[in-house]
Amino acid sequence: MNPNNPKLKSWVEVPENSDFPIQNIPLGVISHRDKESVVATRIGDTIIDLHELQKLGYLKDLTFDDDVFSADSLNPLLTYGKQGTRDLRTAISSIFQINNDLLRDRDEHSLRVLKKAADVSMLFPLCIGDYTDFYSSREHATNVGMMFRDPKNALLPNWLHIPVGYHGRSSSIILSGQPIIRPKGQQRIDEQKPPVFGPTRLLDFELEMAFITYDGRPLGDSISTQDAEDFIFGMCLFNDWSARDIQKWEYVPLGPFLAKNFASSISPWIVTLDALEPYKTKGPKQDPEVLDYLKYQGAKNVDIHLEVCITPDKGEPNTVSRSNFKYMYWNMAQQLAHHTVNGCNVRAGDMMASGTISGPEPSSYGSMLELTWRGSKPIKLNDSTERKFIADGDTVTMTGYCDNGEVRIGFGEVTNKVLPAKE
Amino acid sequence: MNPNNPKLKSWVEVPENSDFPIQNIPLGVISHRDKESVVATRIGDTIIDLHELQKLGYLKDLTFDDDVFSADSLNPLLTYGKQGTRDLRTAISSIFQINNDLLRDRDEHSLRVLKKAADVSMLFPLCIGDYTDFYSSREHATNVGMMFRDPKNALLPNWLHIPVGYHGRSSSIILSGQPIIRPKGQQRIDEQKPPVFGPTRLLDFELEMAFITYDGRPLGDSISTQDAEDFIFGMCLFNDWSARDIQKWEYVPLGPFLAKNFASSISPWIVTLDALEPYKTKGPKQDPEVLDYLKYQGAKNVDIHLEVCITPDKGEPNTVSRSNFKYMYWNMAQQLAHHTVNGCNVRAGDMMASGTISGPEPSSYGSMLELTWRGSKPIKLNDSTERKFIADGDTVTMTGYCDNGEVRIGFGEVTNKVLPAKE
């Protein structure tokens, strides 16, 4: 049966409004009492140890090597490509369907395979080779252009022709839950004086989503928009932490560097593109017409509700932004086609983030820079304090889910607390 | 004995002007008739299989795991840090000294360990995690600024304060010998018209050198200029292939992307920083004074003679540039200190390139862009053809060596032929 069928139910309990119904089947890497690392999925609040599932023979019709599920990342699994992860999802969907008694009624097996979410630790799920960050929200690019350049010509001349992107640092991409240490760096506070060195005063989040690739084509070959989704495994939430003062001083002419590479953080479960299929939607009209290699067929945007929350130290959560991934001007297929049109190769486990996802309303902006309009309109929190940017002790939490009225599929969260600069 | 001692001679023959005297001992990865991949070094035209050397017990005083030398990259070796590779170089130096008969007089052993250079294939020596490209030649940055911005204010305001750098793509870094396929991409040829798509018309090389790191400190910690060289393993030649028309259209505001990530190429042997110690020299005076975290002690530049040669298809080589790594305004210790001052982590096998190495004289410029001043002064080759940029069929070869009158240590070459765009 199609794993996206909204009628499917699981014999594993799924709480109301869970991000993880049987239609999701995300993939991640966990550790638990008995294992340092193992590939897993999740239904409701139950974690499924795929290595045990395989050892017990439940995946015997698939052709995965023994060590794929005992790896410390999803990368070995990703080398099997779209068909590999698709077959795996279909198999898992079948095993956990409410009427399938194969595992359901064998307590000695299910005891080995099933863990409570509270009893496992999530690990960083990927060995990221290269990480690329796009800049694909028209509203975000326009807001930034209005603030820092010419309000009447906010978009740069290339923006409507190119899914603008740049290379980022993969070593400093971390997992939800890890602290963010406020970075130090050069800033030029007074334009008339030399630059100074110190902790960033303008620490920001950027609400983004990222996709993860399978192995692409060899160096020198391209991937068309039509084929692009065959090379995209799945998605996660992505917080592209940014230091605006460091960025402003360093970024001309070669782009952001230390303003970004101190940390980016991701949610631990990768939701497959297959699971997101029912939530596909049309993107904004692209005018002027794009060049041929960027043209595409069908609905390539995804309707994903996104929220950003700031929780002060010992305080209550404050939702500061409600956005949606469907606003993106450039879709993932266009991004990947553009990235490879010059022959650039991608590899299993590469990550490509969307760029800040800002919507049309001020309440849907995806960064403090935009939400407070460079600090000119501070946000009042429910403890009566104000924020222009992110303060030490604040926890920033991003959540995302799809809901078409029949099934809700979510991404969990990416949440990180900010610690003061060192020394 | 100090492996840098100029009096050292080897019982392995070293041709006059070889890049690889016993004072060099570079590291690389090779394949030969019996092995798919093995870590190796080179003296003269003789390749030394370090895995065999270890199996035969010649490295038994060192503490390397068995599989370090049978790996397909230097990365496992690099996790042993500076002391690890330093001890290895000292041991190799001793084994091959002219008076050491241990291996010299055991034909059955030396037959297993020694290979002729002509009988082995060089492999890509690293599994590069992250790749960073700096922009550290004042002359290059000035030339570019004069051409594309304001000749009177050629250097941007941040340039003398920051070793400007940006993230590049590691998946498309290839080995000397591999062909370069002319990339295609968007260009805006006529400023009054929409962009067009096609093969780059302005394919360029950039003469650079790159350094490779050991594991650095954890995310959140920094590396000072004083400690930086403890985290730098060695260097190689680096050709940062560039498509100038694609670059010009795409690079604002987030930096170069498809103009660079179709290919960069490196020389196969990594020369250790230890071997380069005798060639250290003072860098240019830095005025204005740099911020404290960028100050450094001692000589941190390296006197490395560099040459770039263009060889047309079936033609003769033409030397088009003679430059020197000592011209760099920002040194490697400053680059690494800057890169990590915000807490960014580096890992064993990361690569950081210098940026184009241009000297003060027009004949020492490190790119066609500068040598032909945007194509306005074409270079005449010895076959009477002219070049504004690189033509299909051209082979670009970069070489580099140090020579202090006592010992010459070289890097071999990075050489790649340009093939026409696909289709």
Side-chain angles (χ1 to χ4, degrees), chain B residues 46 65 89 97 116 118 145 154 192-193 221 259 264 272 276 325 343 401 411:
Chain B
T46 301
D65 283 346
R89 181 164 172 264
Q97 276 179 48
K116 287 182 192 158
Q192 307 309 317
K193 292 184 183 163
D221 287 352
S264 309
T272 65
L276 297 170
F325 187 61
Y401 67 95
F411 288 81

Side-chain angles (χ1 to χ4, degrees), chain A residues 161 169 186 221 350 422, chain B residues 161 169 186 221 350 422:
Chain A
H161 300 278
R169 180 104 191 155
Q186 276 197 41
D221 287 353
D350 286 350
K422 287 205 177 181
Chain B
H161 299 279
R169 180 102 190 157
Q186 276 198 42
D221 287 352
D350 286 351
K422 288 205 175 178

